[in-house]
């Protein structure tokens, strides 16, 4: 994560966001600081697959980590999760019962009992496994949701470096132009958001999908559903909150799903996908509202 870029983006939003959004950004900024501090002490040894193997994986739309996973140090991983939980409990941003749950979870035991090989091969499947472990331990559903976000953030500190190495190798092998999958080409996670404009191959008119699990951003067709892949223009729509044209919901009639989308006109504006992920959280509430029928919300 580029924390300096995140700080620049947060500063650019000053005076634009409301009090609640600013408070959420301040909280996540604290967590990102914990992530970065923990990442400084990590050494993840990862050998990037050959150009031949990368090309084979990309042609088959197989995530690179599925062919060669990242080794995850269980002790270090548990420590990062515990640090994130501790920072959250100290910030008192969650309900008292959630804070109590987070403080009581024995992450060293959870991580030891989990499939760490799966964590480095398929992060999404690993999160499901940990969710089941927490449920079996009697942790409430609300607390599980927050706890999993910390597991995801901690896992990013483990796989972000290797993911960057893989993507640099993909670019060096000139494979970017044939790499347009719906899931992250590196770790296989579903994209958290998309970005229209900015630095794309089509002079700012293109679109990228963004994986906030490993930090990879890859180009994707602008007129195509990011969830089911349909290119039927009559099924694809964009909606936004009134007064905010930069943040929109891209919906699909065929699959009924959506993806939050950032529209940026200028390459000069600081864009942090971590910050945008937080800012666009309000769009999730809009998309899930049964009253949402389209048009400006």
């Amino acid at each position: 994560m580029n924390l300096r870029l995140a700080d620049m983006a947060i500063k650019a939003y000053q005076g634009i966001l409301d009090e609640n959004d600013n408070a959420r950004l301040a909280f996540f900024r604290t967590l990102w600081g914990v992530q970065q501090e923990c990442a400084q002490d990590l050494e993840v040894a990862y050998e990037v697959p050959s150009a031949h193997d990368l090309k084979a994986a990309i042609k088959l739309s197989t995530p690179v980590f599925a062919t060669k996973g990242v080794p995850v140090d269980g002790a270090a991983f548990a420590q990062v999760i515990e640090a994130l939980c501790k920072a959250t409990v100290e910030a008192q941003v969650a309900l008292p019962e959630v804070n109590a749950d987070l403080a009581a979870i024995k992450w060293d035991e959870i991580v030891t009992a989990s499939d760490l090989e799966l964590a480095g091969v398929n992060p999404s499947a690993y999160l499901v496994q940990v969710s089941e472990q927490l449920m079996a331990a009697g942790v409430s559903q609300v607390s599980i949701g927050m706890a999993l976000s910390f597991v995801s953030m901690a896992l990013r500190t483990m796989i972000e470096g290797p993911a960057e190495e893989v993507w640099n190798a993909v670019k060096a092998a000139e494979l970017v132009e044939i790499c347009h999958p719906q899931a992250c080409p590196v770790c296989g996670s579903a994209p958290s958001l998309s970005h229209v404009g900015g630095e794309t191959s089509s002079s700012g008119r293109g679109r990228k999908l963004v994986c906030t699990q490993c930090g990879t951003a890859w180009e994707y067709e602008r007129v195509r559903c990011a969830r089911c892949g349909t290119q039927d223009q009559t099924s694809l729509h964009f909606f936004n909150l009134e007064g905010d044209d930069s943040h929109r919901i891209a919906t699909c009639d065929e699959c009924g799903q959506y993806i939050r989308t950032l529209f940026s006109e200028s390459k000069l504006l600081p864009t942090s996908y971590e910050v945008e992920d937080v800012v666009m959280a309000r769009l999730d509430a809009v998309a899930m509202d049964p009253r949402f029928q389209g048009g400006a919300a």
Side-chain angles (χ1 to χ4, degrees):
M1 173 189 292
N2 188 332
L3 202 53
R4 180 173 176 272
L5 181 61
D7 286 336
M8 292 171 61
I10 291 173
K11 184 176 181 180
Y13 271 123
Q14 289 181 357
I16 298 176
L17 300 177
D18 62 25
E19 184 177 347
N20 289 333
D21 283 334
N22 283 323
R24 292 183 70 252
L25 274 177
F27 166 63
F28 275 96
R29 175 59 179 81
T30 297
L31 297 186
W32 297 333
V34 172
Q35 275 183 296
Q36 186 175 74
E37 183 177 351
C38 292
Q40 290 175 349
D41 298 326
L42 289 175
E43 291 185 9
V44 181
Y46 182 78
E47 184 178 349
V48 177
S50 66
H52 176 272
D53 290 342
L54 288 175
K55 186 174 183 178
I58 287 173
K59 280 191 170 183
L60 293 173
S61 293
T62 300
V64 175
F65 285 171
T67 63
K68 187 175 182 59
V70 178
V72 175
D73 183 316
F77 183 32
Q79 288 176 1
V80 180
I81 303 174
E82 289 173 354
L84 291 167
C85 286
K86 180 181 178 181
T88 301
V89 171
E90 291 177 348
Q92 295 292 305
V93 296
L95 295 171
E97 54 268 32
V98 174
N99 281 334
D101 278 346
L102 293 177
I105 297 173
K106 298 184 183 300
W107 285 110
D108 55 341
E109 296 181 3
I110 293 290
V111 169
T112 299
S114 69
D115 185 351
L116 287 174
E117 182 177 351
L118 180 64
V121 171
N122 188 334
S124 295
Y126 179 76
L127 291 174
V128 172
Q129 182 187 93
V130 173
S131 175
E132 294 170 348
Q133 287 179 270
L134 294 173
M135 192 176 300
V139 180
S140 71
Q141 197 64 47
V142 174
S143 299
I144 288 176
M146 181 166 282
L148 285 180
S149 68
F150 301 144
V151 176
S152 175
M153 293 178 74
L155 186 52
R156 176 162 175 172
T157 65
M158 303 284 155
I159 67 176
E160 184 174 25
E164 184 177 1
E165 292 177 21
V166 166
W167 197 241
N168 285 337
V170 169
K171 290 187 288 188
E174 299 181 345
L175 297 173
V176 172
E177 290 186 3
I178 64 171
C179 186
H180 304 285
Q182 288 161 233
C184 176
V186 178
C187 77
S189 300
S192 299
L193 55 97
S194 69
H195 181 196
V196 175
E199 296 180 0
T200 57
S201 62
S202 53
S203 302
R205 295 186 296 276
R207 178 189 186 195
K208 285 184 177 180
L209 298 186
V210 180
C211 173
T212 53
Q213 178 58 76
C214 73
T216 302
W218 66 101
E219 296 199 20
Y220 192 77
E221 295 87 349
R222 182 160 177 173
V223 184
R224 183 185 177 196
C225 176
R227 303 305 184 190
C228 72
T230 184
Q231 293 181 298
D232 180 2
Q233 295 189 43
T234 63
S235 298
L236 306 175
H237 314 283
F238 281 107
F239 305 112
N240 61 280
L241 292 170
E242 186 175 356
D244 184 1
D245 291 333
S246 297
H247 302 106
R248 308 181 194 180
I249 302 171
T251 65
C252 175
D253 294 338
E254 290 194 19
C255 66
Q257 299 185 72
Y258 72 95
I259 188 167
R260 301 166 302 163
T261 303
L262 167 68
F263 280 77
S264 59
E265 298 295 332
S266 174
K267 295 181 182 180
L268 300 178
L269 292 175
T271 300
S272 165
Y273 292 133
E274 289 74 29
V275 170
E276 292 301 332
D277 194 33
V278 174
V279 170
M280 289 197 284
R282 53 187 171 176
L283 294 181
D284 291 319
V286 172
M288 299 303 292
D289 191 327
R291 297 171 298 176
F292 177 66
Q293 299 295 327

